[in-house]
Amino acid sequence: MLDFGVIVSNFRFLIVQGLFGLGGFAGGTLRLAIPAIALGFVLGIFIGLARLARSRWLSLPATLYVEFFRGVPLVMVIFWIWFIIPQLLRLPIPEYGVALTAFVIFEAAYFGEIVRAGIQSVPRGQVEAATAVGLTGAQTMRFVVLPQAIRNMVPALVTQMIVLFKDTSLASIIGYVDLTKAAQIVNNREIKPFELYLFIAIVYFIFTYSMSRFARRFERRPTAA
Amino acid sequence: MADVAIRFKDVSKWFGKLKVLSDINLAVVAGEVVVVCGPSGSGKSTLIRCVNGLEGIQGGDLVVLGESIARPGVSMSGLRTRVGMVFQSFNLFPHMTVLQNITLAPVKVRGLGAAEAEKTARALLERVRIPDKADHYPANLSGGQQQRVAIARALAMQPKIMLFDEPTSALDPEMINEVLDVMTDLAKDGMTMMVVTHEMGFARRVAHRVVFMDEGRVVEEATPEAFFAAARSDRAKEFLSKILSH
């Protein structure tokens, strides 16, 4: 028989520590996922724009960045920052700093590709029309291309945000107490794997499903040319 | 001699190894309406796209409103506010209402206040005969209405020259006239216009001059009367027989 008493008695640890990261340990799924999504997307915009830049001094490094970080496992990036960067800088980096840095650096490569594809999906005629009325390149990008590109990007962006949200569980390998790690800690003590892992699956699902519902609202706004 | 608005001097242009414009010599005076026609691939769209710098030229000189645009470092943005362009595929901004489409450049480029820009935009919508569509999105307009909004958008910058790149080619037949009527009004108001079109009725009624192009060259230029009655070159005769026979 399933005994959900284990959830009730450990609710504070699982939710406050594991989900929100407000407990006694470095951790929290949301505390990592939300800034990682925001910062990763912002960095991704710059990388996506750089990939499309006419100057090879911008496009080549951006391309290398994307190809490199898409080509290595996220766990490896976390390990690098955990083990190597503190040695190079000769100062310790706390778990939260390591996890956030790794996620932003890694995810920015994916967000950059989504931004690039989104910008390229805007028809060339839009740029020509904006240019023809005298808008500068930056104004064309800001007022004409990006608003349309971002709308086209929404499905891919949300998919990537959902992937990132779930991947935050990988931060547990450096002792970061996120939702998954919190469940693991409780399970080590109570041995109730079905209840605990079913519970956190539901918590993850509530967030990811909300994200896709939220995204669908954007997709329905008028777009056709 | 009236003011020359646009002067092509031995203009040449290549796309890679393909020479798309060969030694073009052509002058358009202020207030003149010039229709450019010719078979597809003859360079007529490229020709007018050079006038507002959407295409660069590699040989010769092109002077627009007294400024050479072939010289490096010339302010294209300044030039483009004085030259309006209308495209075959309208290219309205789909995420903006009609009003926002028209006021964007006046506000961002000319620094007009929002209220003043809106007043001008509404007057222009009146002029292109769709004052009631100001708050619609382009997707909710017919092709003819979209193209008239595009004309209003270009006029909002108060250009001295208007370029039309096959403005009716993407339209259903019953919408062509509503766009041509607006263009005819513009011509009557003395706008300098270069129009790439296959609408020979428009050329006959409105144009001061017809320029016929083939393979990147100006083959013939004449008044519409002379051109349609008796084209001199064989190439133009062949072209006319094809497009006027049905």
Side-chain angles (χ1 to χ4, degrees), chain B residues 166-207:
Chain B
E166 306 206 28
T168 58
S169 300
L171 295 177
D172 289 339
E174 72 263 33
M175 293 171 187
I176 289 175
N177 279 332
E178 63 192 50
V179 171
L180 292 180
D181 287 347
V182 168
M183 291 168 61
T184 306
D185 288 351
L186 263 184
K188 281 186 189 142
D189 292 345
M191 179 64 78
T192 309
M193 294 164 60
M194 281 189 88
V195 185
V196 173
T197 186
H198 298 298
E199 293 299 324
M200 291 303 132
F202 174 82
R204 215 189 286 259
R205 277 181 289 114
V206 180

Side-chain angles (χ1 to χ4, degrees), chain A residues 19-212:
Chain A
L19 182 63
F20 291 102
L22 299 173
F25 307 94
T29 293
L30 289 177
R31 194 160 79 99
L32 177 57
I34 292 169
I37 285 173
L39 296 174
F41 180 48
V42 170
L43 184 57
I45 290 177
F46 286 107
I47 290 168
L49 290 174
R51 280 207 72 177
L52 294 169
R54 239 166 284 158
S55 157
R56 297 212 25 101
W57 294 103
L58 286 172
S59 66
L60 190 66
T63 305
L64 290 174
Y65 182 97
V66 168
E67 293 299 342
F68 182 78
F69 282 104
R70 279 202 312 186
V72 298
L74 174 55
V75 177
M76 207 193 71
V77 178
I78 296 173
F79 278 149
W80 274 347
I81 295 172
W82 181 239
F83 291 116
I84 299 172
I85 305 291
Q87 284 199 17
L88 290 178
L89 297 179
R90 302 201 172 282
L91 85 162
I93 305 180
E95 289 90 345
Y96 182 68
V98 170
L100 184 59
T101 310
F103 274 88
V104 169
I105 289 176
F106 186 81
E107 295 294 335
Y110 287 86
F111 284 127
E113 276 302 271
I114 293 168
V115 168
R116 180 186 62 80
I119 289 172
Q120 285 179 327
S121 73
V122 176
R124 170 121 202 91
Q126 291 288 307
V127 177
E128 291 187 348
T131 308
V133 288
L135 294 182
T136 62
Q139 288 174 326
T140 299
M141 192 48 88
R142 179 161 160 222
F143 300 117
V144 176
V145 177
L146 278 184
Q148 296 182 60
I150 287 174
R151 189 160 305 164
N152 294 345
M153 288 174 209
V154 164
L157 274 181
V158 171
T159 302
Q160 192 58 37
M161 287 175 185
I162 288 171
V163 168
L164 193 161
F165 182 80
K166 296 186 298 178
D167 279 355
T168 51
S169 57
L170 288 173
S172 61
I173 56 166
I174 56 167
Y176 186 84
V177 185
D178 73 314
L179 187 57
T180 304
K181 184 76 176 178
Q184 198 188 337
I185 291 169
V186 174
N187 187 50
N188 286 345
R189 194 173 59 219
E190 313 256 358
I191 325 291
K192 298 274 185 206
F194 289 106
E195 293 85 345
L196 284 163
Y197 290 118
L198 186 63
F199 173 69
I200 67 164
I202 292 167
V203 175
Y204 277 115
F205 182 78
I206 288 170
F207 280 93
T208 54
Y209 187 66
S210 312
M211 284 156 88
S212 36

Side-chain angles (χ1 to χ4, degrees), chain B residues 63-90:
Chain B
V63 179
V64 179
L65 298 169
E67 252 188 287
S68 167
I69 66 163
R71 225 176 319 126
V74 68
S75 159
M76 279 298 176
S77 188
L79 168 79
R80 284 175 185 135
T81 62
R82 282 169 281 147
V83 182
M85 184 155 197
V86 173
F87 300 88
Q88 178 175 356
S89 49
F90 327 136

Side-chain angles (χ1 to χ4, degrees), chain B:
Chain B
M1 177 82 187
D3 283 349
V4 175
I6 308 167
R7 185 190 294 281
F8 293 83
K9 284 182 208 158
D10 300 317
V11 168
S12 294
K13 176 174 180 57
W14 285 264
F15 284 137
K17 285 186 174 170
L18 182 71
K19 194 168 189 182
V20 287
L21 293 179
S22 294
D23 308 314
I24 303 285
N25 281 293
L26 189 65
V28 178
V29 299
E32 193 178 19
V33 177
V34 173
V35 161
V36 184
C37 63
S40 60
S42 60
K44 52 197 193 303
S45 286
T46 308
L47 180 83
I48 70 163
R49 287 164 60 90
C50 289
V51 176
N52 69 347
L54 281 184
E55 305 283 355
I57 62 172
Q58 276 99 46
D61 194 11
L62 174 51
V63 179
V64 179
L65 298 169
E67 252 188 287
S68 167
I69 66 163
R71 225 176 319 126
V74 68
S75 159
M76 279 298 176
S77 188
L79 168 79
R80 284 175 185 135
T81 62
R82 282 169 281 147
V83 182
M85 184 155 197
V86 173
F87 300 88
Q88 178 175 356
S89 49
F90 327 136
N91 297 348
L92 293 180
F93 308 132
H95 57 302
M96 297 182 190
T97 64
V98 163
L99 207 56
Q100 288 167 337
N101 263 277
I102 300 173
T103 56
L104 177 70
V107 171
K108 300 297 176 195
V109 181
R110 279 174 55 212
L112 232 57
E116 200 185 343
E118 181 176 334
K119 206 173 129 226
T120 316
R122 290 196 185 275
L124 285 167
L125 285 174
E126 200 82 50
R127 194 164 162 195
V128 299
R129 302 167 195 176
I130 36 173
D132 52 325
K133 300 293 184 193
D135 299 314
H136 287 58
Y137 281 90
N140 302 324
L141 302 183
S142 72
Q145 290 168 337
Q146 288 191 49
Q147 193 61 298
R148 285 183 284 158
V149 172
I151 293 172
R153 178 175 67 179
L155 291 176
M157 293 301 283
Q158 303 180 339
K160 299 272 183 287
I161 298 171
M162 283 285 284
L163 307 171
F164 292 86
D165 188 3
E166 306 206 28
T168 58
S169 300
L171 295 177
D172 289 339
E174 72 263 33
M175 293 171 187
I176 289 175
N177 279 332
E178 63 192 50
V179 171
L180 292 180
D181 287 347
V182 168
M183 291 168 61
T184 306
D185 288 351
L186 263 184
K188 281 186 189 142
D189 292 345
M191 179 64 78
T192 309
M193 294 164 60
M194 281 189 88
V195 185
V196 173
T197 186
H198 298 298
E199 293 299 324
M200 291 303 132
F202 174 82
R204 215 189 286 259
R205 277 181 289 114
V206 180
H208 300 106
R209 206 148 39 110
V210 175
V211 170
F212 177 77
M213 289 185 69
D214 190 32
E215 293 178 348
R217 291 172 193 282
V218 171
V219 177
E220 194 162 338
E221 45 175 313
T223 62
E225 297 81 20
F227 182 70
F228 291 113
R232 290 187 305 270
S233 61
D234 292 340
R235 193 66 195 81
K237 278 179 198 157
E238 187 194 333
F239 175 76
L240 284 175
S241 74
K242 275 181 189 154
I243 64 163
L244 296 179
S245 62
H246 54 82

